Amino acid sequence: MADILKNVSIQLQREGEKPLYAQIAAALKEAIDAGQLPADSRLPSIRALAAQLQVNAVTVVNAYRELELEGYVWSRTGSGTYVRSQPAGETARQIFIPHQGINFASATPTPEIFPVGDFKRLLNLVLDRDGGHAFGYQESQGWPPLREAMQEYLGQIGIAARLENIHIISGAQQGIDLAAKILVRHGDTVLVESPTYHGAIATFRSRGARILAVPLEPDGPDLAVLTRLLRRHRPRLFYVMPNFQNPTGYSYSRHKKQALLDLARQYEFTVVEDDHLSELHFAPAQDRGPLKAMDVHEQVIYVKSFSKILMPGLRLGLLVSPPPFTGAVGAAKQYSDISSSGLFQRTLDLYLREKAWQQHLQAMRATYGTRYRTALEALARHLPQFRLTPPGGGLHLWLQLPKGIDGDQYCRLCLREKVLLTPGSYFSPNNSYADHIRLSFAAVTGEEITQGIELMGKVLKQIHAPRTLQPLL
Ligand SMILES: Cc1ncc(COP(=O)(O)O)c(C=O)c1O
């Protein structure tokens, strides 16, 4: 047995019902959980372990793949498979933003297009109308007129929600947190798309959940892997972003949306839908409605953020709960922050009723549509080696780097040129996507996009020139 496994017992029952690869994976998981295989240790090569256990190499490949999907190990082509550190808790990730740099890492829209004038006027209206009441404690479930305005807005995007199931929340991050609090107990299994939004991974981990990754394809989750994981693990929930996903920008096809709902019914799990960008579409498409609009059997908790399409500092969002969860969501919200800001809820209520918001959305689509096209053109010109699926909306482009280029290293080199990008590994629940980066065009002008992508092209050329690579090694 290879040295690393000297304290690990792998007893295979060759006539047993459990497949051999699952037995190997289970023994290794147990050893990792027990601390017998420390973080960062390298597992034996596939060939070595297969020879040692007298099994087929494919059996070991499958065992390692299962461990990777479940976040126990990570692998790098040509280098090996390593034990992943099992997080006791998350620390907030911070990215250094260079002064005067070109910021393709920020997913926050440019403040210049926030409707500040409208909010200034409406804030004053609220203060004149409601005086000190705007500063009192509010109903946990939300300011009733705002909930009515939200009901109308939901109707416009195809969601027929009853008023009692609509909750005003302090942003989508709180929505994810509330869903986790009411659904997830320590040791429960939670499914996430891979790659996915880091803030959601951190929330589920803080609940002690075991997080399993479902690979995301350009038209939605890999249904074969999803079905396999459902059969084996019976998760409590699946956290998804069916429109303009973060970080990939991908949107689910109607077929995959329906398949997901069917599976949720069959395997009795709740879908948590995070809708933060669906309004930001730049190309006509048929399937852009929220999953919740198709949710006839009430299996979806719908979480809506207004941070990207309006202003993040409002800290307002909404959550639509299936009726059985309404009481639990209300209680979790109350014990979380009592209520969202009364002043901002009242102001947003007036804003939505004035319909200024539809004009704002159109302006957002025009501004970001132009930035999106500029980015695609610049990529085609300066970085034709990068692969991507144009998402047709949202704020992100998910770029696959040419073979052999590491995303973390590429981002570090770009940072030297004051171009800030996010490495793909940042979005992975199991340390994959080392060969991807996310480029967001939320906080950059057209000029910066062209200039930044040209610089990215130069960095790629430097990497391909061996002499300039030397000092980095
Ligand atoms: C996918 C996704 N969900 C939720 C959030 C948090 O949004 P909010 O500001 O509404 O809490 C973000 C923020 O970047 C996000 O990207």
Side-chain angles (χ1 to χ4, degrees), residues 107-108 169-176 196-200 239 241 244-247 274-277 303-308 311-313 315-317 396 438:
T108 305
I169 51 176
S170 303
Q173 185 65 39
Q174 182 175 63
I176 300 165
T196 189
Y197 166 53
H198 178 263
Y239 165 74
M241 290 166 266
F244 306 133
Q245 202 254 10
N246 181 10
D274 183 347
D275 177 1
H276 67 310
L277 285 175
V303 177
K304 170 93 206 150
S305 171
F306 290 96
S307 291
K308 311 293 179 196
M311 298 186 278
R315 304 311 303 136
L316 288 177
H396 314 298
R438 188 191 75 177

Side-chain angles (χ1 to χ4, degrees), residues 244 249 251 280-285 288 372 376 389-394 396-397 441:
F244 306 133
S251 296
L280 217 51
H281 45 82
F282 316 133
R288 290 290 149 71
Y372 168 74
L376 289 186
T389 303
H396 314 298
L397 298 174
F441 47 91

Side-chain angles (χ1 to χ4, degrees), residues 8 25-39 43 67 71-73 82-86:
V8 178
L28 291 173
K29 275 188 254 180
E30 205 172 301
I32 293 171
D33 283 337
Q36 290 164 324
L37 291 175
L43 294 184
L67 291 175
Y72 278 93
V73 301
Y82 297 84
V83 176
R84 182 174 188 254
S85 52
Q86 299 299 304

Side-chain angles (χ1 to χ4, degrees), residues 83 149 166 233 250 315 454 461:
V83 176
I166 299 175
H233 298 281
Y250 298 163
R315 304 311 303 136
E454 193 177 342
K461 281 196 192 119

Side-chain angles (χ1 to χ4, degrees), residues 85 90 226 260 314 330 353 357 413 424:
S85 52
E90 278 293 313
L226 174 60
L260 173 56
L314 282 178
R353 284 170 199 278
W357 140 253
L413 290 173

